[in-house]
Amino acid sequence: MTDDRLHLPAGAVVAAVVLALMAFAGLLLTAAALIAQFVIQSPLIPRIPTVRVAAAGMDALVLALVILAVLTIIGLFRLRIWARYSIVLLGLLDFLVFAIMAIGVLVLRVRSGMASMPIPSNPHVTVGNILFALAALYGLLALVGLWWMIYFNLESVRQIFADAEARLTP
């Protein structure tokens, strides 16, 4: 007796878990931003209507990406071909956004005069060290997007999704 079911590749499971963690973090950040803007009335967000609308628009965009991520996770576990396309697209967006952020933070580190300024609560840590760590984090997140783009375009992975799609059509 042979097993005709298709198995989800381990890389797709890991990618779905990483995407779930990123979606959860995005959801938490969006909730915190909305609370800061509308409940706490944070002084970090000026009480200028245009700024508040732009901030709410960014929150809505992140929320839409979180919804897309959740749908993509479900689709990945069901081996839907659209989910493969979706995670490649999310990987491209992830790569572009976080690579630009990493480069921007590194440029800020180099160009700002504060790079050697110590942090008052811990004089052994400088602003430059924090900016470098932040750039490394953004760089790592950009590499996640690159990984998704490469992995989900491998011939073997594309074939698994294509075979699963072929089984759905009568």
Side-chain angles (χ1 to χ4, degrees):
M1 181 176 191
T2 61
D3 187 11
D4 287 339
R5 292 179 297 149
L6 293 172
H7 296 288
L8 188 65
V13 173
V14 173
V17 169
V18 170
L19 181 57
L21 291 173
M22 291 174 77
F24 183 69
L27 192 60
L28 286 180
L29 290 173
T30 300
L34 288 171
I35 289 169
Q37 181 174 353
F38 294 111
V39 177
I40 300 174
Q41 300 292 324
S42 171
L44 296 176
I45 302 173
R47 290 194 170 124
I48 302 169
T50 307
V51 173
R52 291 191 175 269
V53 167
M58 289 301 294
D59 292 337
L61 176 64
V62 172
L63 188 58
L65 288 171
V66 166
I67 292 168
L68 177 61
V70 170
L71 293 173
T72 300
I73 292 164
I74 294 167
L76 285 175
F77 281 112
R78 293 181 176 181
L79 289 173
R80 300 297 191 253
I81 201 157
W82 62 263
R84 187 181 73 78
Y85 295 139
S86 179
I87 198 163
V88 169
L89 175 65
L90 287 170
L92 176 63
L93 290 172
D94 176 86
F95 177 75
L96 291 175
V97 167
F98 286 114
I100 289 169
M101 289 173 70
I103 292 167
V105 169
L106 286 175
V107 167
L108 178 66
R109 182 180 187 269
V110 170
R111 293 197 169 228
S112 74
M114 303 184 316
S116 60
M117 181 187 302
I119 301 297
S121 61
N122 189 349
H124 299 296
V125 178
T126 64
V127 171
N129 293 346
I130 292 173
L131 291 175
F132 185 77
L134 190 58
L137 174 66
Y138 291 153
L140 181 66
L141 291 170
L143 289 176
V144 168
L146 184 64
W147 161 50
W148 290 344
M149 288 188 299
I150 292 171
Y151 177 76
F152 284 96
N153 278 307
L154 293 174
E155 180 63 33
S156 60
V157 176
R158 284 188 305 175
Q159 191 61 51
I160 290 170
F161 280 85
D163 291 346
E165 190 76 15
R167 288 174 186 245
L168 288 176
T169 54

